[in-house]
């Protein structure tokens, strides 16, 4: 199972270096935010990868497990195959509507 992670570092450069050295799925639009005196981002990793990330995390890097990510096959059942915009109303459900 995959886990959603909050990865933070003391600086943007330290966060960028840690992510470059480790495999973390940051999605299609990765964003680093400043939270207090730390820079954070959200990523997804398999359980085995989480253990490796925690072991590789140096001083100044912290990894917090936020939640389990549901299997994508079960989530695909929530999406209709028809034209959801045909009625002129925005569709409802998971995901961004852009």
């Amino acid at each position: 199972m995959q886990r959603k992670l909050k990865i933070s570092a003391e600086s943007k450069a330290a966060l960028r270096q840690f992510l470059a050295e480790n495999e973390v799925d940051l999605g299609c639009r990765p964003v680093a935010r400043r939270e207090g005196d730390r820079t954070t981002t959200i990523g997804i990793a398999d359980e085995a990868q989480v253990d490796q990330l925690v072991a590789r995390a140096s001083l100044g890097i912290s990894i917090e497990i936020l939640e389990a990510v549901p299997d994508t096959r079960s989530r695909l059942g929530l999406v209709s195959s028809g034209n959801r915009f045909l009625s002129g109303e925005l569709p409802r459900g998971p995901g961004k509507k852009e």
Side-chain angles (χ1 to χ4, degrees):
M1 178 167 282
Q2 294 184 323
R3 304 284 182 202
K4 186 175 183 180
L5 308 172
K6 180 178 181 180
I7 305 165
S8 65
E10 294 175 346
S11 68
K12 188 185 243 183
L15 180 63
R16 185 175 288 154
Q17 180 179 354
F18 178 76
L19 294 172
E21 295 171 354
N22 298 284
E23 288 190 38
V24 178
D25 182 359
L26 299 174
C28 60
R29 295 182 186 175
V31 176
R33 291 191 171 92
R34 196 77 180 151
E35 293 182 3
D37 61 342
R38 301 184 64 79
T39 302
T40 65
T41 193
I42 303 296
I44 297 175
D46 291 327
E47 284 185 43
Q49 289 175 308
V50 172
D51 294 336
Q52 292 175 355
L53 290 171
V54 171
R56 292 179 184 166
S58 61
L59 292 173
I61 301 288
S62 66
I63 299 171
E64 177 185 345
I65 299 174
L66 299 177
E67 62 185 344
V69 178
D71 183 23
T72 55
R73 287 172 283 173
S74 64
R75 292 177 67 195
L76 288 176
L78 300 174
V79 180
S80 67
S81 60
N83 183 350
R84 297 176 292 149
F85 294 93
L86 189 61
S87 69
E89 294 182 29
L90 286 176
R92 296 181 181 171
K96 287 186 175 181
K97 312 302 185 277
E98 297 183 276

